[in-house]
């Protein structure tokens, strides 16, 4: 495939995913006082599994941890999962400042928020997703959100002085990470999303000091079933990032599922109009049910 053809296909994939109108949630709840500390809830629209209460899928949106991208852009994907029989909780969190060139993430607020949201979710899900089963919870996230999903599953492995560390693994049945920024060293080397990883950690000095607190590839083995779904033509977060994470997991004694999709780029994984999105739903179902 020529560079021009690849670029045209990537542009078409991006146009498709952003062509869907936002899907309004059935309820929204706050998990903190900041305007970004919100979770949208979608009740299941169908019976998608072997019966019984629907599992809860926690969705963490991407966008390189930058302010212009919020949970609205992934709401069609959340609605798609609800139509497949899942109860869905789509998490908003604080992202980088939007003045001038948007910065990737805020330290430590982005991590504060994801930790607080996951801690609050079981009770909020009982309140806003009647009939769902928060004991069967799977986290999924796309791109930067895939990083956050993997990180949320690894909080019990954080350094002892990390404020987000837990004394036991997260109550998750599994994680399905979609084109995740899963290995910071490789992502930084490849300049993924315009240096977003280094920005997230506060620049050159912060990158070295904070990587052990934020990099999923250094927080293994989690003991939580994990699958990574990756498009082979993804130019935004190349497959080398996912493969490096899977290799790090194997070295740590943990098997991470790696589903590689031919002729799929970055955005079809969350595009309800794309076949890849149905593959993602099946991967989630494998862990959730």
């Amino acid at each position: 495939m020529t560079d021009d053809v690849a670029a045209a296909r990537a542009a078409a994939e991006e146009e498709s995913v952003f062509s869907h109108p936002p899907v309004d949630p059935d309820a929204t709840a706050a998990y903190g006082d900041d305007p970004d500390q919100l979770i949208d809830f979608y009740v299941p629209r169908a019976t998608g599994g072997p019966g019984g209460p629907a599992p809860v899928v926690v969705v963490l949106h991407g966008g390189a941890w930058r302010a212009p991208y919020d949970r609205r852009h992934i709401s069609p994907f959340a609605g798609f999962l609800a139509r497949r029989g899942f109860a869905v909780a789509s998490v908003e969190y604080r992202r980088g400042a939007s003045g001038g060139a948007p910065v990737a993430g805020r330290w430590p607020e982005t991590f504060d928020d994801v930790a607080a949201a996951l801690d609050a979710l079981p009770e909020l899900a009982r309140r806003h997703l009647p009939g769902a089963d928060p004991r069967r919870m799977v986290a999924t996230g796309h791109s930067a959100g895939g990083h956050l999903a993997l990180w949320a599953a690894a909080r019990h492995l954080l350094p002892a002085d990390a404020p987000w560390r837990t004394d036991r693994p997260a109550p998750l049945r599994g994680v399905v990470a979609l084109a995740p920024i899963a290995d910071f060293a490789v992502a930084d080397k490849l300049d993924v999303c315009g240096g977003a990883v280094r920005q997230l950690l506060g620049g050159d000095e912060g990158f070295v000091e904070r990587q052990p607190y934020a990099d999923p590839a250094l927080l293994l083995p989690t003991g939580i079933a994990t699958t990574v779904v990756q498009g082979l033509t993804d130019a935004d977060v190349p497959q080398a990032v996912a493969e490096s994470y899977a290799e790090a997991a194997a070295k740590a004694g943990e098997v991470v599922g790696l589903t590689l999709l031919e002729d799929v780029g970055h955005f079809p994984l969350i595009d309800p109009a794309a076949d890849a999105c149905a593959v993602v739903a099946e991967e989630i179902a494998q862990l959730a049910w």
Side-chain angles (χ1 to χ4, degrees):
M1 184 187 302
T2 67
D3 290 345
D4 287 345
V5 171
R9 181 157 72 179
E13 289 175 344
E14 184 170 358
E15 182 180 4
S16 177
V17 78
F18 287 110
S19 70
H20 304 287
V23 177
D24 291 331
D26 296 292
T28 299
Y31 62 88
D33 296 329
D34 190 272
D36 280 330
Q37 292 176 319
L38 298 171
I39 303 175
D40 286 343
F41 293 96
Y42 299 79
V43 301
R45 297 295 195 266
T47 301
V56 177
V57 180
V58 184
V59 174
L60 291 151
H61 72 80
W65 311 282
R66 291 181 172 129
Y69 303 95
D70 62 16
R71 70 194 187 283
R72 295 291 283 173
H73 87 266
I74 208 169
S75 65
F77 174 69
F80 170 82
L81 292 178
R83 293 193 301 273
R84 299 288 289 240
F86 299 107
V88 180
S90 183
V91 176
E92 191 56 274
Y93 52 89
R94 283 173 285 183
R95 304 168 309 287
S98 57
V103 176
R106 299 190 211 176
W107 183 277
E109 290 88 349
T110 298
F111 297 89
D112 289 343
D113 289 358
V114 172
L118 269 291
D119 290 345
L121 247 174
E123 179 56 34
L124 290 176
R126 290 184 187 96
R127 196 179 312 161
H128 297 285
L129 292 171
D133 185 358
R135 295 170 301 178
R136 286 189 290 158
M137 192 157 60
V138 172
T140 190
H142 179 241
S143 196
H147 156 260
L148 294 172
L150 294 170
W151 178 86
R155 289 168 58 199
H156 58 296
L157 301 175
L158 288 168
D161 62 342
W164 316 290
R165 183 182 168 93
T166 57
D167 59 3
R168 59 178 63 88
L172 295 171
R173 289 284 294 267
V175 176
V176 180
L178 314 176
I181 304 178
D183 185 312
F184 278 15
V186 174
D188 183 59
K189 183 177 180 180
L190 296 176
D191 196 34
V192 165
C193 298
V197 165
R198 197 162 285 260
Q199 288 179 21
L200 175 69
L201 300 188
D204 294 346
E205 184 175 344
F207 185 78
V208 174
E209 294 179 356
R210 293 169 177 171
Q211 193 176 353
Y213 297 82
D215 187 348
L218 302 181
L219 299 170
L220 291 161
T222 67
I224 294 173
T226 300
T227 298
V228 174
V229 184
Q230 176 72 41
L232 289 177
T233 60
D234 190 333
D236 293 276
V237 184
Q239 72 182 83
V241 180
E243 289 175 339
S244 182
Y245 175 78
E247 290 168 6
K251 289 177 182 176
E254 188 160 74
V255 176
V256 166
L258 184 57
T259 300
L260 301 174
L261 302 181
E262 294 277 356
D263 299 323
V264 170
H266 192 60
F267 290 105
L269 303 177
I270 59 166
D271 183 353
D275 291 342
C277 200
V279 174
V280 168
E282 288 301 318
E283 295 289 359
I284 293 171
Q286 289 291 323
L287 299 182
W289 293 104

